[in-house]
Amino acid sequence: MLAPETGSTNYASSDGNPNTNTFMRKISGILGVSSSETHASDGGPTYVEFGTFNETSETRTLGTFAGVFSPVTLSMFSALIFLRMGYIVGNAGLIVTLLQFAIAYVILVSTVASVCAISTNGAVEGGGAYFMISRTLGPEFGGSIGTLFFFANIVSSALCISGCIEGLVENFGPSGYLLKGIIPDGVWWKFLYCSGLNTLNLLVCLIGAGMFAKTTVFILAIVCSCLGITVFSFIYQGSMMVDIPESNKLVHNITQANYTGLNIQTLSDNLYPQYGIDYTSHGDLVTFSTVFGVLFSGVTGIMAGANMSGELKSPGKSIPSGTLSAVAFTFIIYLVVSVLTAATCSPFLMQNNYLFMAGVSVIPTTVAVGLLTATWSASLSNVIGGSRVLEALSKDNVYGPLLSFIPKGTWRGNPIAAVLVSWILVQQVLLIGSLNLIAQLNSVLFLLSYLATNLACLGLEVASAPNFRPSFIYFTWHTAFIGLMGTIIMMFVISPIYSASSILLCTLLVMLLHLFSPSKEAQWGSISQALIFHQVRKYLLLLDSRKDHVKFWRPQVLLLVNNPRTACPLIDFVNVLKKGGLYVLGHVIKGDSNTAGPDPTLEANSHWLNLIDHLKVKAFVELTVANTVREGSKHLMRISGMGAMKPNTVILGFLGDEYSEDFLRSNESSYRNLEFSSEVFPLEDESSLQPVEYIQIMSDVLKLKKNLCICRNFYKLKKDLNKDGHQFIDVWPVNFLNPAENDAFDVISLFMMQLACIVNMVNVWSKLKMRICVCDEARQASFSINSSPQSYAEKLSSLLKDLRIQAEICHVSSWKNVIEARYDNSDDYFERINNLIVQGSEDTAVTFIYLPTPPSTDDAAESYFRKLEMISNNLPPTIFVHGVNMVTSTTL
C-alpha cells in the first residue's frame, strides 16, 4: 500500500515532458525526416514541407496514371478479356453474365471505398494492402490476412502465367491461329513454358520493379489498341466459320463453329444460361459458381495500385483516384464486350473455343499481342506486389526469425530474397495446371483479403474511433457492410471447400501470431481494442447494480499491495479467489499530489501492467497519490471499478509481516524476473504505518459496506501445491475474541465458507479437501447452553448440504483447554488458540479464520491488532475474513 515519497526526476526534454522527444520523432517520421533534422545546427527550426520524404527522389517516382491506373487496369483485364469471355457468356448467358459483373463490381467498388478510406486516413508506406490492413486490424489479424494476401498475389501471378501460355499455345501450337506447329502442346510442355515465363518475371524483378512500372503505360496502350481492334471486328465482321482448337477433345468430327456477326436472333439465343462442359479441365461440368470464380479472378486487380504504395509520390491521392477510374473503365469495357460477344457468337462456338476472338479479328495478330501482353504484365505485377508484401511482413517481424533473411537479401531497395521466394511459390501453383481451377482459388483468396479490408473499416465506423477521419468522402459504413457481406457470400458460392479452408487457415494464423509472434506487442493500434471498448461501455451501462442478486454473487476484489516484490504469492492466490470477478491491484504512493512535475502514477502504471503480464493474473491496476496510506486507501476503495463492476471485497496484507522475500529476484522463486529492477519496485519500509492507522483502514472498509480479508504468511504458499504434500483447506468459523453458539451460522462464517469453497473449485486447489474445524468440546460449559455437540454438528452438516458445499466437519479435541484460559490470561488464551490451530495445520495449504469487527476507538486498536498477530503466528497462509452481506443462497 505504501511507496516512497516521490522525488524529482530528470527529464530529457526541456519542457519537462518526457513524451516530447518521442512525439517529435514520430512527427519527423511522418514528414520523412530524422529527428535530428527538425532543428538546424544553429539551434533554429528547420521547416519541412508536408508530404516530402527522404526517399522521394530515389523510390517514390510514380504518379497516378503510371503507378495506379495502368497496373490496376492491366490486372483487371489480364486473361479474362481476351481468353474467357466466351467461356463466361457461352455458359452463363448474357443476363447472368451482366448480373455476375454487377455483383463483382459492387463488391469491388465497396472494397475500393474501404481501401480509399484507409489510404486517406494516414500516411501509407510500402506493403500496400498489407500495410493498411495490419495498421488497422493490428499485428495478429494484419499478419494473418497479409500472409493470405501474399498467397493471393502468388496464385494470381500463376493464373496470369497460365493464361498467357494458353494463349501462346492456341496461337502457335498444333492448331495455332497465327502459325501452326511452331511449338508443341501437352501438359508438361505447358508447364515448361509457364516455368520459362515465370523465370523471365524473376529476371525482370531482379533488375527492379521501377523499370516495369515505367513501361506499364506503354503496355496498357498496346492492350487498349488490340482491344479496340477486337471491338471493331465484332461490328465489322459478317457471318463466318471459326475453327475449333485441336486441344478440345470433347467434340468429335466437328472442326468449326458459326460466328453470325451482329444478329438479334443470336443475342436472343445467348440471353439465358446453357451450362456445358469445360474442355480445358478434364471435362468438368460448368456451373454458376465456377463461372463466377473465373469471372471474379479476372477483376481482382484493384489492389495493384495499393501494392505499389512504396513507389507512389502521393499514395493518399493516387490510390483513390487511380483505382476508381480504372474500375469504371474496365467495367464499361467488360459490359461492351459481353454484349457484343452474345450478339455475334453461337453458344457452341463460345463453349468450345475460348480464344474465338483470334478467329474473328480482322487482324488476328492483335488478339495474340493483347492477350500475351495483358497476361504477362498482370503476372509480373502480381509477383512484384507479392514480394513487396512478403518484404513488409519480414520488416514487421511478424514471423520472427523465420523471415529474417528477407531484409538481408535487399539490394538498392529491391527485395531480392522476397522475389526469389515468390518465384518458387509461383512454380508450385503452376503444377495445378488448369487455369479455371487456379482461378477459383485465386478468387477466394482475394475475396478473403477484401473481406478483411471491409471488416477493418466497418469496425472503425462501428467503434466510432475519433481518429478515423478519411478524406475520401464517398466511404460510409454502408459501403463497408455491402462489401463485407458480398465477399462472404460469394466466397462460399465459388468454392465452399476453398473458402472454409482459407478462413480456417486465417484463424489458425491469428492464434499462432497472437501466441508466438514477436510483433504482437507492436504499437500499430488494433481494431479489436476499439471494438472491445465500444462493447464494454455499452454492456457496463446495461449492468445495473440495483439488480444484483445473491444467487449470482461473486467476489470483486480490491487487493491493496504495499510492495509487489514481497506479495507475488498473494497476488497469484487472489487471482484464484476472484472466481471470474473483478480483480483490482491497488497501491498508494505516499506523497504530495500537488507538487510540480508529472504525476508519479503515470510512470509507475506501466511497471504494474508489466508485472500483471509477468504474473499472468487477470487484474486491473489502480494507483493513487496521498499524504497518508489511509487517505489513499479510501480513494481506491471509493473509486476503483466502474458502474456495477466495483470491488465488493477489500484484501489487505498483514502489517509488519516478519518475513519479506524478494520473489522477483530470489533464485528459488517461481516468480523470478530480473527485469523488475530495485528502482522499479524498491523494497519499502512500512514503519510509517502504525497499527492504529492499519485498524482504521480496516474500519473504513466496513463503513463502505465492503467485505474485508486480512492475509498473513502467504510467503509460505508455493505455486505448486503438490510438491509440499498439502491436503486441506481449513475454515475456523468461530469468533475467538468472543466465542458464541451461532458463530458458524452468521454472515461472517457463511462468507468465509463461500470464499473457501470458491478456492476449492479452481484447478489444482480442487484436489484439496475442505475442512470445517468445529470447536464443540465442552461447548455446554463454555457457552452455557443446553444443546449437545452432536446436534450442533448435525445442524452445521445440514447447512453445508443446503449450500452444496463439499466439506467435512473436523471436530477439534483440545478446545476445552483453550477456553479455560479465556478469562485468566489474555495472552495465554490467544497463544493456546494459536497452538491449537498450528497442531491441526501440518497438511493445510491455506487457513480461513473468523475476523471479529475492529474496535470503534483508537485506544483499543493496538490490543486488537496484537490479538490477531498472536492468533496467526507461525500458521500456514492465513486469511482473516469479515463478511458484511449474505453471499450464499439455498434457493434455485
Side-chain angles (χ1 to χ4, degrees):
M1 294 183 294
L2 176 65
E5 295 189 10
T6 307
S8 61
T9 306
N10 182 26
Y11 295 98
S13 59
S14 58
D15 61 357
N17 187 344
N19 295 321
T20 300
N21 287 343
T22 302
F23 176 74
M24 290 305 297
R25 284 195 297 271
K26 290 182 178 179
I27 291 294
S28 300
I30 294 174
L31 298 179
V33 297
S34 65
S35 57
S36 62
E37 293 172 352
T38 57
H39 295 277
S41 58
D42 60 357
T46 298
Y47 298 97
V48 184
E49 183 180 356
F50 275 75
T52 60
F53 296 84
N54 282 347
E55 70 271 27
T56 299
S57 60
E58 298 179 6
T59 60
R60 293 186 176 269
T61 59
L62 300 179
T64 301
F65 191 82
V68 181
F69 180 84
S70 295
V72 170
T73 302
L74 288 172
S75 295
M76 295 184 73
F77 280 155
S78 62
L80 182 62
I81 190 68
F82 291 108
L83 196 57
R84 283 297 182 266
M85 291 305 299
Y87 169 84
I88 295 171
V89 178
N91 285 284
L94 180 61
I95 294 177
V96 174
T97 297
L98 297 179
L99 175 64
Q100 289 190 350
F101 271 115
I103 294 172
Y105 272 82
V106 166
I107 295 173
L108 293 176
V109 171
S110 301
T111 304
V112 168
S114 297
V115 172
C116 294
I118 297 176
S119 65
T120 59
N121 192 56
V124 180
E125 299 177 10
Y130 159 71
F131 178 86
M132 293 186 287
I133 294 172
S134 64
R135 268 47 175 188
T136 305
L137 291 179
E140 297 96 333
F141 289 96
S144 59
I145 294 297
T147 302
L148 293 181
F149 187 65
F150 163 69
F151 285 124
N153 277 276
I154 294 301
V155 173
S156 183
S157 180
L159 172 71
C160 295
I161 288 174
S162 298
C164 184
I165 296 306
E166 185 174 323
L168 189 70
V169 171
E170 293 293 337
N171 282 282
F172 299 100
S175 59
Y177 284 104
L178 297 180
L179 295 172
K180 291 186 178 183
I182 299 298
I183 56 174
D185 190 10
V187 174
W188 290 108
W189 280 109
K190 287 182 178 179
F191 179 74
L192 178 63
Y193 305 148
C194 288
S195 300
L197 185 55
N198 187 32
T199 303
L200 176 62
N201 288 346
L202 170 66
L203 296 176
V204 174
C205 290
L206 292 178
I207 296 173
M211 182 189 72
F212 166 73
K214 295 174 182 178
T215 62
T216 54
V217 176
F218 176 69
I219 295 174
L220 179 61
I222 294 176
V223 172
C224 289
S225 299
C226 296
L227 191 57
I229 294 173
T230 302
V231 170
F232 171 77
S233 300
F234 276 122
I235 300 172
Y236 175 79
Q237 293 283 35
S239 177
M240 58 187 298
M241 300 301 292
V242 179
D243 292 340
I244 301 296
E246 293 184 9
S247 58
N248 186 346
K249 306 297 182 183
L250 298 180
V251 293
H252 304 284
N253 301 322
I254 302 178
T255 59
Q256 291 184 321
N258 186 29
Y259 173 84
T260 65
L262 291 174
N263 188 292
I264 294 296
Q265 185 58 44
T266 302
L267 180 64
S268 177
D269 293 341
N270 288 318
L271 287 179
Y272 302 103
Q274 304 176 59
Y275 296 114
I277 296 176
D278 181 8
Y279 70 85
T280 66
S281 61
H282 311 291
D284 293 340
L285 182 65
V286 180
T287 64
F288 178 93
S289 61
T290 57
V291 170
F292 186 80
V294 172
L295 181 150
F296 196 83
S297 70
V299 294
T300 55
I302 59 172
M303 298 287 195
N307 286 345
M308 302 299 291
S309 58
E311 283 80 19
L312 296 175
K313 293 179 181 178
S314 179
K317 292 182 179 179
S318 297
I319 292 175
S321 58
T323 304
L324 283 173
S325 56
V327 167
F329 176 70
T330 56
F331 182 61
I332 294 172
I333 296 299
Y334 275 126
L335 293 184
V336 171
V337 174
S338 297
V339 173
L340 291 175
T341 300
T344 58
C345 302
S346 65
F348 184 81
L349 172 61
M350 291 185 288
Q351 290 183 1
N352 290 281
N353 185 353
Y354 298 155
L355 196 63
F356 71 92
M357 289 183 183
V360 172
S361 178
V362 293
I363 308 177
T365 307
T366 57
V367 174
V369 172
L371 171 62
L372 296 180
T373 53
T375 52
W376 174 71
S377 63
S379 70
L380 188 54
S381 175
N382 279 290
V383 78
I384 291 173
S387 64
R388 296 309 189 264
V389 173
L390 183 61
E391 181 188 25
L393 285 167
S394 65
K395 286 183 176 179
D396 284 341
N397 202 28
V398 171
Y399 291 100
L402 187 63
L403 296 179
S404 59
F405 67 96
I406 298 293
K408 298 176 183 177
T410 301
W411 183 68
R412 291 187 178 180
N414 192 21
I416 304 298
V419 170
L420 288 171
V421 172
S422 301
W423 172 75
I424 293 171
L425 292 177
V426 171
Q427 278 293 113
Q428 310 307 310
V429 179
L430 289 172
L431 290 171
I432 296 176
S434 172
L435 184 146
N436 290 352
L437 292 177
I438 298 175
Q440 293 182 47
L441 177 60
N442 174 75
S443 296
V444 167
L445 289 173
F446 270 106
L447 279 168
L448 186 59
S449 64
Y450 297 166
L451 183 153
T453 305
N454 289 303
L455 179 63
C457 289
L458 182 62
L460 289 169
E461 279 289 294
V462 170
S464 302
N467 282 317
F468 184 61
R469 299 188 296 271
S471 58
F472 183 72
I473 61 175
Y474 300 106
F475 168 80
T476 68
W477 72 266
H478 303 86
T479 61
F481 181 77
I482 292 171
L484 177 66
M485 296 307 299
T487 52
I488 293 175
I489 293 171
M490 298 317 298
M491 276 175 63
F492 284 92
V493 167
I494 293 172
S495 176
I497 295 177
Y498 284 164
S499 300
S501 300
S502 299
I503 293 175
L504 181 63
L505 177 60
C506 183
T507 304
L508 181 63
L509 285 173
V510 168
M511 295 171 61
L512 291 175
L513 292 177
H514 178 73
L515 294 173
F516 304 112
S517 175
S519 68
K520 63 183 178 182
E521 304 298 334
Q523 298 301 312
W524 300 343
S526 176
I527 184 79
S528 61
Q529 293 300 303
L531 291 173
I532 289 171
F533 180 89
H534 179 77
Q535 291 301 109
V536 167
R537 182 191 64 85
K538 181 171 71 176
Y539 285 114
L540 273 175
L541 291 172
L542 295 176
L543 190 62
D544 192 342
S545 60
R546 295 169 295 184
K547 299 179 181 179
D548 287 346
H549 195 280
V550 65
K551 290 190 297 184
F552 306 110
W553 180 91
R554 69 180 70 228
Q556 302 201 90
V557 180
L558 169 61
L559 172 61
L560 295 176
V561 181
N562 172 52
N563 193 294
R565 290 188 172 279
T566 59
C568 290
L570 178 57
I571 295 172
D572 199 10
F573 174 78
V574 176
N575 188 58
V576 172
L577 184 66
K578 73 180 190 304
K579 186 58 179 177
L582 178 69
Y583 182 17
V584 179
L585 294 179
H587 179 69
V588 178
I589 299 176
K590 192 176 178 184
D592 187 358
S593 59
N594 295 321
T595 57
D599 192 293
T601 62
L602 297 178
E603 182 179 0
N605 190 68
S606 63
H607 299 316
W608 280 85
L609 292 176
N610 292 336
L611 178 72
I612 286 176
D613 293 338
H614 168 58
L615 297 179
K616 295 182 173 62
V617 296
K618 298 177 181 178
F620 300 94
V621 173
E622 290 287 356
L623 306 178
T624 189
V625 180
N627 293 320
T628 66
V629 175
R630 183 186 181 190
E631 179 186 347
S633 299
K634 283 183 178 180
H635 294 169
L636 295 173
M637 287 185 279
R638 287 192 176 110
I639 68 173
S640 294
M642 181 177 292
M645 290 196 69
K646 297 184 74 69
N648 55 34
T649 303
V650 177
I651 299 180
L652 306 175
F654 202 80
L655 178 64
D657 215 338
E658 68 280 0
Y659 183 89
S660 295
E661 177 181 350
D662 187 350
F663 289 97
L664 295 177
R665 301 187 73 85
S666 174
N667 292 328
E668 294 76 24
S669 171
S670 56
Y671 303 101
R672 175 181 169 86
N673 189 328
L674 298 180
E675 293 181 6
F676 296 98
S677 64
S678 57
E679 288 77 17
V680 172
F681 295 123
L683 284 170
E684 301 160 3
D685 181 12
E686 284 188 338
S687 59
S688 60
L689 184 62
Q690 299 300 318
V692 172
E693 185 178 3
Y694 183 73
I695 301 303
Q696 288 172 341
I697 294 173
M698 294 170 58
S699 298
D700 293 337
V701 175
L702 300 182
K703 287 179 183 178
L704 289 169
K705 297 297 182 182
K706 297 182 185 294
N707 306 302
L708 174 63
C709 296
I710 306 297
C711 297
R712 189 179 188 188
N713 299 331
F714 269 84
Y715 66 87
K716 298 180 179 180
L717 186 65
K718 303 300 181 184
K719 202 171 183 69
D720 189 352
L721 297 176
N722 296 324
K723 290 184 178 180
D724 292 336
H726 295 305
Q727 300 181 34
F728 304 111
I729 299 172
D730 288 347
V731 178
W732 293 81
V734 56
N735 181 356
F736 289 119
L737 271 61
N738 187 22
E741 167 66 11
N742 292 317
D743 285 348
F745 307 98
D746 65 10
V747 170
I748 296 175
S749 289
L750 290 176
F751 179 73
M752 185 162 48
M753 294 177 193
Q754 179 81 324
L755 292 184
C757 182
I758 288 173
V759 173
N760 199 208
M761 294 168 65
V762 177
N763 296 332
V764 69
W765 291 87
S766 62
K767 299 177 182 179
L768 306 182
K769 292 182 179 179
M770 181 175 162
R771 298 191 302 188
I772 308 296
C773 301
V774 177
C775 303
D776 56 10
E777 183 184 306
R779 175 172 293 277
Q780 290 176 320
S782 60
F783 298 141
S784 299
I785 58 175
N786 297 319
S787 59
S788 66
Q790 184 62 31
S791 63
Y792 177 85
E794 288 177 353
K795 182 180 177 182
L796 183 57
S797 179
S798 177
L799 175 64
L800 294 175
K801 183 178 180 181
D802 290 342
L803 295 175
R804 289 92 60 206
I805 295 178
Q806 300 293 325
E808 63 180 41
I809 297 176
C810 179
H811 298 275
V812 179
S813 60
S814 304
W815 176 245
K816 182 178 180 181
N817 297 331
V818 173
I819 205 68
E820 287 176 351
R822 180 181 177 193
Y823 302 108
D824 300 332
N825 184 301
S826 180
D827 287 357
D828 183 44
Y829 170 64
F830 292 109
E831 287 174 1
R832 290 189 184 189
I833 291 175
N834 176 257
N835 291 332
L836 175 68
I837 301 175
V838 169
Q839 290 172 9
S841 303
E842 292 181 359
D843 299 323
T844 299
V846 66
T847 300
F848 290 83
I849 299 179
Y850 191 111
L851 177 66
T853 304
S856 57
T857 62
D858 293 345
D859 295 339
E862 288 197 28
S863 175
Y864 175 84
F865 175 77
R866 189 164 174 272
K867 293 172 184 178
L868 298 182
E869 190 175 35
M870 285 189 290
I871 291 174
S872 56
N873 277 336
N874 302 315
L875 291 185
T878 300
I879 308 177
F880 287 99
V881 178
H882 189 103
V884 296
N885 295 306
M886 185 64 68
V887 297
T888 56
S889 173
T890 59
T891 61
L892 289 176

